[in-house]
Amino acid sequence: MVFRLLLLWALIITSYSSQAKEPVIWVTESWQNFTETDGSGLYHEIMVAVFETTDYELEVEYAPWKRSLFKVENLDADITGAMPKNGRFYFSTQPILKQPRSILFDKSKLTISSLSQLSKYVGTWPKEYEKELFTDEIRAHISGFSTADRTGALKVLMYGRSDYYFDTRAILDLSLIELNQKMPAQNFQIKDIGYFELHMAFSKSAKGKKIKELFDKRIEILLVEGRLLKIYDKYHIPFPY
């Protein structure tokens, strides 16, 4: 009898503790190696590590990139990212990713040694990430057309309708693996043409600011503990700190 009462009391306490946690809604697109829908990926592990010992309960929603930004900007979600800093959101102090802007191309069809030479060729890129990918300098040298998404951009390159695919290095590294499997006879390569830092973005609200400050503190703790480095190493992503 006593054991049953103790067990019931433990269940009540556990249930109350879980209910007492304030939900934090993280909305993100699903990216291979970063935010897989099975809960694996670099960003997933970082976010779990950040919030697991806090008074917040992390909830994940998957949505296309533009909708993710819309939801956070309109306070229907608390966090998204990663992306370059702008005036629409609060951003993590430290970048979660430092990435080259790069092009993926078939070396037998394209000879490029500098950014200025790109204007002679036709490129493609995912439309939903145009604002994050382009700078004024890069825009001046890149011509071509956007595709609906990254899958479409890769297919355009594969079918020879563009000379190169422009995106972040981390995404192109994964695309190169796929190309080498599907088209082993061709010599696809990646060349870096720029660089940027990506940060987690938080809603511009009192709650968003509070979560951003907590995120920054937890990242510092994970960094000191050495746990953060292990997560990046696990996914073979360059450590940005």
Side-chain angles (χ1 to χ4, degrees):
M1 182 66 178
V2 174
F3 175 76
R4 288 180 180 179
L5 288 173
L6 289 173
L7 180 60
L8 179 62
W9 180 244
L11 289 172
I12 291 173
I13 292 175
T14 301
S15 175
Y16 176 79
S17 176
S18 176
Q19 292 174 6
K21 286 195 171 188
E22 184 177 2
V24 169
I25 300 174
W26 170 36
V27 59
T28 178
E29 189 170 3
S30 177
W31 291 307
Q32 184 181 356
N33 210 43
F34 289 85
T35 50
E36 305 275 9
T37 55
D38 65 0
S40 64
L42 176 74
Y43 292 171
H44 272 302
E45 291 211 26
I46 292 173
M47 295 295 278
V48 168
V50 164
F51 288 102
E52 64 184 1
T53 59
T54 70
D55 294 330
Y56 292 100
E57 186 73 27
L58 183 65
E59 299 180 2
V60 185
E61 294 183 6
Y62 296 96
W65 178 240
K66 295 295 184 181
R67 193 185 306 166
S68 297
L69 296 178
F70 178 84
K71 287 174 73 70
V72 175
E73 195 165 18
N74 286 274
L75 311 185
D76 292 324
D78 302 302
I79 310 172
T80 191
M83 60 189 296
K85 287 185 175 181
N86 58 51
R88 296 162 60 189
F89 308 97
Y90 291 125
F91 285 92
S92 58
T93 299
Q94 299 293 342
I96 197 170
L97 199 66
K98 288 185 178 181
Q99 274 288 294
R101 292 174 169 93
S102 310
I103 59 169
L104 175 61
F105 60 97
D106 184 341
K107 191 177 180 182
S108 66
K109 299 178 181 178
L110 182 69
T111 302
I112 179 78
S113 60
S114 67
L115 177 60
S116 61
Q117 291 177 304
L118 276 180
S119 58
K120 300 186 296 183
Y121 301 99
V122 176
T124 191
W125 54 87
K127 183 176 179 61
E128 56 194 343
Y129 302 108
E130 276 184 316
K131 290 183 179 179
E132 289 74 36
L133 286 170
F134 281 95
T135 63
D136 291 341
E137 179 188 13
I138 288 177
R139 176 72 73 177
H141 296 290
I142 285 186
S143 59
F145 58 93
S146 63
T147 57
D149 52 32
R150 283 169 164 155
T151 300
L154 184 58
K155 287 182 178 178
V156 164
L157 177 65
M158 290 173 64
Y159 297 150
R161 294 200 290 268
S162 72
D163 297 310
Y164 62 89
Y165 166 20
F166 173 46
D167 210 327
T168 67
R169 179 68 188 239
I171 296 298
L172 294 185
D173 282 337
L174 296 171
S175 297
L176 181 58
I177 293 172
E178 183 176 346
L179 285 175
N180 286 337
Q181 292 172 344
K182 293 181 177 180
M183 308 175 72
Q186 292 182 242
N187 187 15
F188 286 101
Q189 293 193 1
I190 297 173
K191 182 174 180 61
D192 300 335
I193 61 170
Y195 173 85
F196 58 173
E197 294 183 345
L198 303 179
H199 299 253
M200 295 306 291
F202 305 83
S203 63
K204 270 210 164 178
S205 64
K207 181 181 179 183
K209 185 177 182 181
K210 186 177 179 181
I211 296 170
K212 170 257 190 303
E213 291 171 349
L214 172 65
F215 184 91
D216 287 342
K217 290 178 182 177
R218 288 289 300 149
I219 285 292
E220 288 296 328
I221 291 171
L222 294 170
L223 181 60
V224 171
E225 291 176 345
R227 185 174 173 187
L228 200 57
L229 176 59
K230 290 179 180 178
I231 296 174
Y232 280 86
D233 285 346
K234 177 179 177 179
Y235 291 97
H236 309 290
I237 300 297
F239 195 52
Y241 299 94

